[in-house]
Amino acid sequence: MVGHTASDVPPTMAVKIFSAGVAACVADMITFPLDTAKVRLQVGSAIQGECLTSSAIRYKGVLGTIITLAKTEGPVKLYSGLPAGLQRQISFASLRIGLYDTVQDFFTTGKEASLGSKISAGLTTGGVAVFIGQPTEVVKVRLQAQSGLHGPKPRYTGTYNAYRIIATTEGLTGLWKDDVPCHFVSAVIAGFCTTVLSSPVDVVKTRFVNSSPGQYTSVPNCAMMMLTREGPSAFFKGFLPSFLRLGSWNVIMFVCFEQLKRELMKSRQTMDCAT
């Protein structure tokens, strides 16, 4: 270890997983209001269409949605579902990002990683992370979408109450409502193109996981009802906050991820030298 800097020593798998989870949580806490605005814009038309009162609140634009939400339901509502969101990042990002290099090495046959090995690693880690982290995504979206438009009594009183109610009323499979296509597209394509291509799937996913039992028979049925009732533009609800959050989340997450890995490896070197 003598003569090596922290950047020379490759981080261990444990360091990668821990750093990815913490960095993702930091990014989530900073960008969460944008995610809540995205969800409200995506489900807004559905909620307003189902609401029996004529005074349903309508959201317009990213800033308008955030301001309206803060005024009508309080600033804390912008972070509704944050515990589930952090649980999702701990289970999802830590595995998807933290295990990527290790899984890629497994698929690599030559000295350099090929495109095929990178795709295989991405699909493997992404698939595992989606399966494990999906219940937290369902609860997060439900709590973010929950508002006074559902009536005086909220569907869920908190994160763990939502887990319990969904599991008991919809079965354990209710916590794994399908949003794999959304995460697949988001994992393969970056930046603006990611938002453009994944937005329709993301909107359908949000509508579907927020739906009550029996409202939609399947994901395709949800998409078809959106198309016939609201038109093609419904698939791009919340596009701007989705793009803003995706870009800012990735910048914050990966900057924190690299810094955490570096600092943890420095600490490990110091401990090794001391012993």
Side-chain angles (χ1 to χ4, degrees):
M1 299 298 288
V2 178
H4 291 277
T5 62
S7 58
D8 295 328
V9 181
T12 63
M13 183 173 67
V15 167
K16 292 177 183 177
I17 292 175
F18 178 80
S19 300
V22 173
C25 286
V26 172
D28 224 40
M29 286 188 288
I30 295 174
T31 63
F32 206 79
L34 288 172
D35 192 42
T36 301
K38 179 205 73 169
V39 170
R40 286 301 181 94
L41 285 169
Q42 287 178 339
V43 304
S45 298
I47 294 175
Q48 289 157 13
E50 297 161 6
C51 185
L52 299 177
T53 62
S54 59
S55 59
I57 297 173
R58 297 187 178 276
Y59 305 112
K60 292 184 179 180
V62 185
L63 185 60
T65 300
I66 292 175
I67 292 175
T68 300
L69 185 56
K71 285 183 177 179
T72 57
E73 302 179 47
V76 176
K77 196 65 178 179
L78 292 170
Y79 289 89
S80 181
L82 180 60
L86 297 180
Q87 292 166 7
R88 178 180 183 273
Q89 296 307 336
I90 291 172
S91 59
F92 182 81
S94 60
L95 294 177
R96 181 172 62 88
I97 299 172
L99 289 178
Y100 178 82
D101 290 336
T102 302
V103 176
Q104 180 181 279
D105 291 340
F106 174 79
F107 285 110
T108 301
T109 55
K111 291 184 178 180
E112 293 185 4
S114 63
L115 178 60
S117 66
K118 292 179 179 179
I119 293 176
S120 297
L123 291 175
T124 301
T125 56
V128 172
V130 166
F131 179 78
I132 294 176
Q134 183 55 24
T136 61
E137 171 72 1
V138 173
V139 171
K140 178 182 75 73
V141 170
R142 295 279 183 94
L143 290 174
Q144 286 177 310
Q146 181 173 271
S147 72
L149 296 177
H150 288 294
K153 186 178 180 179
R155 298 170 71 183
Y156 315 108
T157 58
T159 303
Y160 295 102
N161 176 256
Y163 281 122
R164 183 180 61 80
I165 290 179
I166 293 172
T168 54
T169 60
E170 302 176 42
L172 289 177
T173 55
L175 291 168
W176 269 272
K177 281 198 170 183
D178 182 15
D179 77 335
V180 175
C182 163
H183 288 293
F184 173 78
V185 174
S186 299
V188 176
I189 302 172
F192 184 78
C193 291
T194 302
T195 311
V196 172
L197 296 178
S198 68
S199 182
V201 182
D202 189 37
V203 174
V204 174
K205 179 259 306 185
T206 301
R207 293 283 185 91
F208 189 70
V209 301
N210 186 58
S211 63
S212 56
Q215 184 175 351
Y216 304 114
T217 58
S218 63
V219 174
N221 173 254
C222 177
M224 186 58 65
M225 290 181 69
M226 285 175 56
L227 180 63
T228 55
R229 291 178 178 179
E230 304 170 46
S233 61
F235 294 96
F236 292 91
K237 295 280 187 180
F239 178 86
L240 185 56
S242 180
F243 173 62
L244 292 175
R245 182 180 186 271
L246 179 63
S248 58
W249 190 95
N250 280 321
V251 169
I252 296 168
M253 189 275 165
F254 282 105
V255 168
C256 292
F257 181 46
E258 294 302 323
Q259 292 298 319
L260 276 170
K261 284 195 300 182
R262 184 176 293 109
E263 293 302 318
L264 286 172
M265 291 311 295
K266 284 181 180 179
S267 298
R268 186 185 179 192
Q269 277 188 281
T270 301
M271 292 177 65
D272 290 342
C273 291
T275 56

